[in-house]
Amino acid sequence: MVKRNRRLLRGTAVLCVLALGAAACGSADDEQASEGSPADVEAALKKGGQLTVWAWEPTLKQVVADFEKKYPKVDVELVNAGTADDQYTALQNAVSAGDGVPDVAQIEYYALGQFAMSKSVADLAPYGADKLEEAYSPGPWSAVTANGGVHGLPMDSGPMALFYNKKVFDKHGIEVPETWDAYVDAARELKKADPNVRITADTGEAGFLTSLVWQAGGRPYTVDGTDVRIDFSDEGSKAVTATWQKLLDEDLLAPVKGWTDEWYKGLADGSIATLAAGAWMPANFESGVKGAAGDWRAAPLPQWEKGNTASAENGGSSLTVPAASGNKALAYAFTEYANAGDGVRARLAEGAFPATTEDLTSKKFLATEFDYFGGQKANEVFAESARNVADDWSYLPYQVYANSVFNDTVGKSYVSRQRLATGLEAWQRKSAEYGNDQGFSVNK
Amino acid sequence: MTALSPPGAAERPALLARRPRDRRRWAGWGFIGPFLAVFGLVFLAPIGYSLYLSLFRDQIIGGTTFVGLENYGDALADPQFWEGLGRVTAFLAVQVPVMLGIALLVALALDSGRLYGKGFFRISIFLPYAVPAVVATLMWGFLYSTRFGLVANIDDALGVTLPDPLSPDLALASIGNIVTWEFTGYNMLIFYSALRVVPQSLYEAAEIDGAGQLRVVRSIKLPAIRGALVIATIFSIIGSFQLFNEPSILQKLAPNAITTYFTPNLYTYELSFAGRQQNYAATVAIIMGLITMVIAYVVQLRGMRKDV
């Protein structure tokens, strides 16, 4: 009996060793970014090879086809590994497994810091990315650069605008608000005129709120290496919470979560009258809110102070080269082609919103008439907004996590008596706790 | 072991004694080998790996370090973990008795032989179980909607304002309603099949003794299906502690009511996928596994006691 037990133990021990082995493989260290040069990129293009690109941006399909045509020796495989968070999880897993890492990966601006900080993505400056600063508008460029490195190339951008249902505003004779104070007034008038109409739908969304704070001049996040400060008590944040608290208190917001069926219905039937969002929104209007074609228009974002022209970015993403990619030079070549070269034009033709200054100022781009917006040249509004984005904003190096607990904390203010400011404090506290747990020095 | 050896064994020549025993031993391993391999691979290895993971911490700055039992200390002092556990315990205390009670009533009704269209009732009550949980939850999510769903329709038709089923106060009850709808039929079937195997002679004897229907239920049927009741209860306890599908899907509709730590399972999911804290998630999972095991075991011990 004793002997047999010992054997069983030995068997279990073998299994554990197997498990340990798997774990050891799992924690393989990230490869350090090796240096490269523009010459390497040239050479890589001549030599050709295979690339795997993880992205959910639909317009890249055309870019890949064009790229392969131009460089027949390069074979690009475009993989949709999930949208946003799903893809980040897959990427994170691949990086920590050290296996199956793509050569190019799409990462949204707000999430890029997390990957740059853990050195999961390569610094593209040596390959020639550092020469591209002038090519991009300031908001997206600052989003991909940190600590002297260029961690990706901006693919698109989301300078904010106020989309409004002109039919609803005209019907009730209400003016489109130019300031956020006027926005609150308009919200009251709309509700009074038609109790089913709300000025906008909001159930608490981290990306939206931080964009508003950005526009209001608040800079809640400051990141200096591993020293992080989170402070939602500045004037900008206060202005936002004060305004939004009014909207909440007076039941002026539709409690409809974005991107749900109800939300699309609300946008279509006029019960949701405005939407402040990035310039990538028109394509979504065209595909998701077909019923209201011709009703909507784009206007500049309302201002916190009358006469200002401040704006902010909302969304947008970059293409990055993971540090564990086997062919970084070639990967960079594709990234540059897609985001600074001919690929940009191909993507614009399919309705993407550029991050490149040249395209933002091109006459053809600005003169595009949007049938959906009743023939309005909406790009003029967006391009103006892009010029007015302050470029000193930064996200947390772990914003993905912070955003995931936004509704745990600030969300309570949307469904209970908790003040918005209290919710923000809780969010700040939780974000700081996590940062400190992760080895940052937050608010210390 | 040696004490049980036959008295003559020691006197036999050693070689003779060992050979048959050895052969028997190898043959045995051959038979259980395939089982052991699968058992080890799909059962022991994951548990071993989780235990291993739970002893480390992986930070964005600093990488992976061995922390011993620190994660366990953190988890036991984590208010979010306890809040989630408290929530599923409350769920367990209310939803499970309601669901099993309804299932038992329906099973007894079906078994009473007085129901017209028994086959139809049996299948229609069981049907929700055949609907995938994800689909069921999405469907209920629409019904719960106060703008376009059933709740909105009732509000419009009766001119009332019903409370939002997905508000923070009601979300748990609404989830309980979905789970009850999903699993009553399943439990009913367990009870019903246990009732079907009660020997007819017992009923005849009861009839001869002049026992009424209630007495038959109390003295024959319930004792006869006690095993099934205990099994169903244990399944339901495990199900409650592992509550995940329903809150996870409804979270998309009501993110402010259903937090990321609404149930312990949701919490571990969130920890590993949004917070990249796989080590801590493994710890929470192990603690939850232990708690579930203990409670299920206690229920089994009590339920199977002969003198209850």
Side-chain angles (χ1 to χ4, degrees):
Chain A
M1 197 62 171
V2 171
K3 211 172 199 174
R4 212 171 286 173
N5 267 343
R6 203 177 290 158
R7 281 197 187 190
L8 195 69
L9 265 179
R10 214 179 293 158
T12 322
V14 169
L15 277 172
C16 288
V17 168
L18 280 175
L20 293 186
C25 310
S27 53
D29 275 349
D30 303 334
E31 226 176 283
Q32 281 295 314
S34 59
E35 68 284 2
S37 69
D40 291 349
V41 178
E42 289 284 315
L45 273 174
K46 280 215 181 78
K47 191 163 157 253
Q50 282 198 320
L51 284 181
T52 308
V53 178
W54 281 11
W56 63 87
E57 165 68 33
T59 60
L60 278 179
K61 211 180 238 172
Q62 186 59 43
V63 176
V64 168
D66 294 350
F67 186 74
E68 283 179 331
K69 208 165 153 200
K70 191 169 175 191
Y71 304 101
K73 282 186 189 161
V74 186
D75 180 22
V76 183
E77 195 194 352
L78 182 63
V79 180
N80 184 343
T83 299
D85 287 354
D86 295 339
Q87 202 245 56
Y88 305 147
T89 307
L91 185 61
Q92 199 88 60
N93 288 346
V95 166
S96 49
D99 189 33
V101 183
D103 300 296
V104 176
Q106 178 178 358
I107 298 180
E108 284 161 286
Y109 296 131
Y110 86 91
L112 186 55
Q114 187 152 330
F115 288 93
M117 185 58 79
S118 57
K119 296 204 166 57
S120 306
V121 293
D123 179 8
L124 301 179
Y127 296 98
D130 51 347
K131 312 273 187 313
L132 294 173
E133 178 168 1
E134 297 303 314
Y136 293 104
S137 58
W141 181 255
S142 80
V144 296
T145 48
N147 304 325
V150 183
H151 302 293
L153 290 184
M155 178 152 66
D156 55 8
S157 63
M160 289 182 86
L162 182 74
F163 299 92
Y164 66 97
N165 192 322
K166 187 169 186 294
K167 212 169 106 188
V168 173
F169 276 80
D170 285 353
K171 184 179 163 198
H172 301 301
I174 295 166
E175 270 184 45
V176 179
E178 287 175 5
T179 65
W180 287 107
D181 283 337
Y183 189 79
V184 176
D185 290 337
R188 290 179 184 131
E189 288 170 40
L190 277 170
K191 187 186 170 193
K192 209 161 134 197
D194 183 345
N196 288 323
V197 175
R198 294 290 180 279
I199 187 107
T200 193
D202 187 18
T203 55
E205 199 211 330
F208 177 66
L209 189 113
T210 45
S211 286
L212 283 187
V213 171
W214 181 346
Q215 188 215 5
R219 295 292 178 268
Y221 305 126
T222 24
V223 183
D224 180 14
T226 59
D227 281 333
V228 177
R229 279 201 68 77
I230 309 175
D231 181 9
F232 276 100
S233 64
D234 57 15
E235 289 307 314
S237 309
K238 271 187 194 151
V240 175
T241 46
T243 301
W244 237 251
Q245 190 68 56
K246 274 183 222 159
L247 294 173
L248 281 172
D249 287 346
E250 298 175 38
D251 183 27
L252 300 173
L253 298 170
V256 177
K257 191 168 152 49
W259 312 103
T260 59
D261 288 343
E262 284 193 41
W263 185 71
Y264 283 116
K265 263 188 210 166
L267 291 176
D269 68 15
S271 63
I272 299 171
T274 74
L275 174 69
W280 36 259
M281 192 60 210
N284 295 293
F285 265 117
E286 279 166 34
S287 64
V289 200
K290 289 199 185 82
D295 294 352
W296 288 78
R297 298 287 185 278
L301 204 58
Q303 293 299 315
W304 296 99
E305 272 172 60
K306 206 173 166 64
N308 265 7
T309 54
S311 187
E313 291 275 335
N314 180 229
S317 51
S318 60
L319 285 182
T320 65
V321 177
S325 156
N327 198 346
K328 279 183 277 213
L330 190 59
Y332 175 75
F334 174 78
T335 306
E336 192 182 299
Y337 175 86
N339 289 358
D342 297 343
V344 179
R345 250 72 65 197
R347 293 186 37 257
L348 285 188
E350 305 218 357
F353 192 83
T356 34
T357 331
E358 192 191 333
D359 298 288
L360 280 168
T361 51
S362 94
K363 282 212 176 74
K364 189 171 163 241
F365 174 74
L366 293 174
T368 309
E369 290 181 4
F370 286 71
D371 288 341
Y372 188 89
F373 296 130
Q376 187 189 11
K377 291 175 184 165
N379 281 341
E380 287 176 349
V381 177
F382 305 144
E384 173 71 29
S385 169
R387 270 195 297 280
N388 294 325
V389 173
D391 63 353
D392 56 347
W393 171 271
S394 71
Y395 284 109
L396 286 175
Y398 49 88
Q399 194 73 33
V400 178
Y401 172 81
N403 285 7
S404 78
V405 295
F406 180 83
N407 290 93
D408 286 356
T409 48
V410 185
K412 282 201 183 108
S413 305
Y414 283 79
V415 291
S416 71
R417 288 170 170 278
Q418 177 188 279
R419 309 296 293 171
L420 205 51
T422 317
L424 273 179
E425 273 166 33
W427 191 34
Q428 174 178 329
R429 206 163 43 239
K430 211 160 167 183
S431 303
E433 262 170 34
Y434 179 86
N436 285 322
D437 276 352
Q438 289 294 325
F440 293 92
S441 164
V442 187
N443 291 358
K444 277 180 185 165
Chain B
M1 239 334 159
T2 38
L4 293 175
S5 315
E11 289 143 40
R12 278 191 213 157
L15 202 71
L16 266 182
R18 186 169 295 156
R19 211 195 291 147
R21 206 204 283 159
D22 269 358
R23 198 179 292 154
R24 199 175 61 220
R25 192 178 282 166
W26 282 113
W29 278 110
F31 278 114
I32 65 164
F35 161 75
L36 263 192
V38 175
F39 179 72
L41 212 64
V42 304
F43 193 76
L44 294 180
I47 293 181
Y49 185 46
S50 299
L51 283 170
Y52 166 81
L53 276 183
S54 70
L55 303 178
F56 291 82
R57 177 172 297 153
D58 180 19
Q59 297 176 309
I60 297 179
I61 307 296
T64 306
T65 43
F66 180 79
V67 292
L69 295 179
E70 223 172 272
N71 284 332
Y72 289 88
D74 287 352
L76 293 176
D78 183 345
Q80 299 190 344
F81 168 65
W82 289 112
E83 195 186 315
L85 184 62
R87 197 171 282 117
V88 288
T89 309
F91 184 87
L92 173 69
V94 177
Q95 188 267 338
V96 171
V98 168
M99 174 179 68
L100 294 184
I102 298 175
L104 185 62
L105 271 180
V106 176
L108 288 171
L110 284 175
D111 188 58
S112 70
R114 299 175 176 204
L115 210 59
Y116 185 73
K118 192 167 77 177
F120 172 74
F121 279 113
R122 199 174 53 204
I123 193 73
S124 52
I125 290 167
F126 182 71
L127 213 55
Y129 181 68
V131 179
V134 175
V135 177
T137 312
L138 282 174
M139 184 192 84
W140 277 101
F142 286 125
L143 291 179
Y144 285 157
S145 163
T146 51
R147 286 175 74 86
F148 298 107
L150 179 69
V151 173
N153 294 344
I154 295 177
D155 283 359
D156 287 346
L158 303 179
V160 292
T161 307
L162 292 178
D164 179 3
L166 293 178
S167 63
D169 296 335
L170 290 178
L172 191 62
S174 301
I175 290 170
N177 181 43
I178 298 176
V179 175
T180 308
W181 180 83
E182 281 175 313
F183 289 101
T184 298
Y186 169 76
N187 289 301
M188 175 272 290
L189 212 62
I190 295 181
F191 297 152
Y192 182 66
S193 38
L195 284 170
R196 295 310 287 166
V197 297
V198 177
Q200 203 59 36
S201 56
L202 287 178
Y203 296 137
E204 285 163 11
E207 207 170 323
I208 292 167
D209 285 346
Q213 280 298 324
L214 277 181
R215 180 71 207 223
V216 169
V217 167
R218 204 150 42 86
S219 303
I220 300 176
K221 294 190 175 182
L222 286 185
I225 64 166
R226 192 166 73 179
L229 277 171
V230 173
I231 290 292
T233 310
I234 289 175
F235 283 171
S236 303
I237 289 171
I238 296 174
S240 301
F241 278 138
Q242 294 189 343
L243 199 61
F244 177 78
N245 276 343
E246 292 80 8
S248 166
I249 291 164
L250 291 177
Q251 195 179 43
K252 307 260 184 301
L253 301 174
N256 299 329
I258 297 170
T259 54
T260 57
Y261 49 93
F262 197 73
T263 73
N265 258 15
L266 206 57
Y267 189 39
T268 53
Y269 177 83
E270 180 70 18
L271 284 173
S272 51
F273 287 109
R276 39 161 292 147
Q277 294 164 292
Q278 283 88 350
N279 305 92
Y280 189 55
T283 313
V284 172
I286 289 167
I287 296 177
M288 268 318 288
L290 284 176
I291 293 176
T292 312
M293 246 166 65
V294 167
I295 294 184
Y297 192 60
V298 168
V299 169
Q300 188 178 8
L301 280 188
R302 276 200 64 86
M304 287 305 182
R305 244 173 30 198
K306 291 275 180 268
D307 55 305
V308 179

